[in-house]
Amino acid sequence: MSGSVFYDAAGLDRVAINLFYGWGYNFYRQENQLRADDLLIREKAGFLLGQSRAMLEAGQSAYRRGHLPPPSRAHPLPPPEAIEAARALEELSNAVGALEGTIRALPVPENDRMTQRYRQEAGTLSLLAACDQRLIGLAEALRATLDGRDHDWMLANRATIREALRLIQGQVRERQALLK
């Protein structure tokens, strides 16, 4: 039994490594770890933006309940300023959702021989990780800013929220530029 191929640890390691290289993948390489980290980081950024969107939607819902009463004979239409404010919250929520989708769909460099030959894959992935780190910081700052805030605060600070979204979008564009 001890002479069996199943007990030859060094031989099994050689076979496994050859298979990994043959498949174009070796999970012990730094590039693959960075690629997996990039996917994880973007998922977490999407999660944080999803929480921000949920807070904005909760604020919008509370605003609509409080400021857009059901129509009556005396007031068949709600006040235009209330409709405008509800739409502003809806637009912010939609913008966060669109940004979340964009971040989740961002590409990473392919794991192929052409990429490895003509592009410094580890260097590019390290730059992406640094870019994603700033992206996570911005997404968390937005989430923390919105946490526990009511619709009145959100409406009063629309410009701040839009500026945060512009900064996140700028970070996304910077990340996209690294892969061109």
Side-chain angles (χ1 to χ4, degrees):
M1 282 296 259
S2 66
S4 172
V5 68
F6 296 107
Y7 291 97
D8 181 16
L12 291 174
D13 287 345
R14 279 192 308 275
V15 169
I17 294 300
N18 283 336
L19 284 173
F20 287 146
Y21 285 142
W23 292 328
Y25 184 78
N26 181 353
F27 56 87
Y28 294 108
R29 287 184 47 213
Q30 178 188 12
E31 290 87 354
N32 292 325
Q33 181 180 357
L34 288 169
R35 186 176 290 104
D37 289 347
D38 181 72
L39 292 170
L40 179 66
I41 288 169
R42 287 186 294 116
E43 189 278 325
K44 295 299 181 186
F47 173 74
L48 292 171
L49 288 174
Q51 287 184 327
S52 297
R53 183 177 186 184
M55 287 181 241
L56 285 165
E57 287 175 350
Q60 175 192 355
S61 180
Y63 181 84
R64 286 181 183 272
R65 276 193 309 275
H67 293 87
L68 296 175
S72 65
R73 280 188 183 206
H75 301 286
L77 298 174
E81 60 275 357
I83 292 174
E84 180 184 331
R87 284 188 181 148
L89 288 172
E90 182 180 12
E91 287 171 8
L92 288 173
S93 173
N94 290 341
V96 171
L99 202 50
E100 176 187 0
T102 299
I103 289 170
R104 288 183 189 269
L106 287 172
V108 295
E110 294 295 324
N111 187 19
D112 60 5
R113 297 289 181 213
M114 294 303 281
T115 301
Q116 292 169 359
R117 175 176 276 180
Y118 295 109
R119 182 182 295 204
Q120 299 296 328
E121 187 179 21
T124 301
L125 287 166
S126 294
L127 290 172
L128 287 176
C131 193
D132 289 343
Q133 184 175 346
R134 289 188 297 273
L135 186 65
I136 283 285
L138 290 167
E140 172 56 20
L142 177 62
R143 189 207 60 78
T145 300
L146 293 172
D147 194 23
R149 305 295 184 159
D150 65 352
H151 55 80
D152 292 328
W153 185 92
M154 291 174 188
L155 287 170
N157 292 284
R158 283 182 277 191
T160 302
I161 297 169
R162 283 191 193 110
E163 180 62 25
L165 293 175
R166 267 193 296 280
L167 289 171
I168 294 171
Q169 185 64 42
Q171 196 61 43
V172 167
R173 279 193 296 275
E174 182 180 324
R175 187 187 186 286
Q176 289 170 328
L178 288 172
L179 294 177
K180 289 185 179 179

